[in-house]
Amino acid sequence: MSEPYPHIETALQDIRLQRLRGDGLILDIGGGGEGLVSRIENERVCAIDIRMSEIREAQIHGQSSNWIVADGRNLCFRDEVFDIVTLWFSLGFMSNWTIKHSVIEEAYRVLREDGQLSILASHIPASGASLIFWANFTLPDGTLSKTGYGVRGGQNQTLTRVSELVDDIGFEQLQSEDHGDWFKLVAHKR
């Protein structure tokens, strides 16, 4: 007998990461765990995560980022402080659309005018109990980081839905790429 709500796993995704533009401040929401943005951009990054254990895990890579335990729905920063806000594979851990909306609104608030929002996210089907997303990340310096993310299923997280959310909040899209099991979206604050 099969489960009524199956667990879904992706094939291993090969994802090449690039440096972010400019030299201004970056806020990495959900920056714990692998700490990808911190490993690429170092001291430019203020990485927040809701769990201290995730920050500790990211700190093993020895980057000089600033680390803060915080909830992305209520950021402790003034308006228009950051040049870039990243949400790299953290949206899937925000299991409902009210949370995703609040976090992206806060990203908009703390970004400077013409600041950039960078989203990398897994496609999460509308059905299924959970999703395991497997990835082999290649950092700009050639370092490989193989990992898996387990998130709640049934979120219906797609490039189209995230694009609509970003547009509704007031961002203007600059780039979008759909890679099947994951997608990339870059937008700027109008």
Side-chain angles (χ1 to χ4, degrees):
M1 179 179 216
S2 66
E3 290 183 299
Y5 302 103
H7 301 279
I8 300 165
E9 287 191 43
T10 68
L12 183 64
Q13 306 295 303
D14 287 311
I15 302 173
R16 182 169 295 279
L17 301 173
Q18 298 177 357
R19 296 225 37 222
L20 295 162
R21 69 172 175 97
D23 57 3
L25 294 175
I26 299 166
L27 175 63
D28 184 22
I29 299 174
E34 288 299 302
L36 297 169
V37 177
S38 291
R39 291 166 68 183
I40 295 169
E41 299 297 342
N42 297 301
E43 65 276 348
R44 292 178 61 192
V45 179
C46 179
I48 69 159
D49 204 290
I50 201 162
R51 292 189 190 138
M52 184 57 141
S53 60
E54 293 294 316
I55 289 173
R56 293 280 183 240
E57 183 180 338
Q59 287 176 325
I60 65 170
H61 300 288
Q63 303 310 318
S64 56
S65 301
N66 295 293
W67 303 92
I68 298 174
V69 175
D71 186 327
R73 294 175 287 186
N74 190 17
L75 296 171
C76 58
F77 305 107
R78 293 176 300 147
D79 296 353
E80 301 183 354
V81 178
F82 294 95
D83 297 289
I84 300 172
V85 173
T86 57
L87 286 146
W88 284 12
F89 295 98
S90 55
L91 275 179
F93 292 96
M94 302 166 201
S95 58
N96 71 59
W97 286 87
T98 301
I99 296 171
K100 295 176 202 289
H101 186 274
S102 295
V103 169
I104 294 174
E105 272 187 331
E106 277 290 90
Y108 188 89
R109 181 184 67 78
V110 301
L111 271 171
R112 297 176 196 243
E113 187 175 331
D114 204 35
Q116 192 172 89
L117 176 68
S118 174
I119 296 174
L120 301 178
S122 55
H123 171 83
I124 304 172
S127 62
S130 65
L131 172 77
I132 306 295
F133 180 83
W134 295 105
N136 191 25
F137 295 106
T138 303
L139 279 59
D141 67 0
T143 301
L144 297 177
S145 181
K146 184 177 179 182
T147 191
Y149 299 107
V151 297
R152 183 183 298 167
Q155 295 184 41
N156 193 23
Q157 180 173 281
T158 64
L159 175 57
T160 300
R161 283 194 79 193
V162 173
S163 294
E164 290 169 356
L165 178 61
V166 165
D167 290 346
D168 289 347
I169 290 170
F171 286 98
E172 181 179 347
Q173 293 183 42
L174 301 173
Q175 176 186 12
S176 67
E177 300 173 9
D178 194 333
H179 297 273
D181 286 320
W182 67 280
F183 57 88
K184 175 180 182 176
L185 176 63
V186 178
H188 76 102
K189 183 176 179 175
R190 295 183 229 186

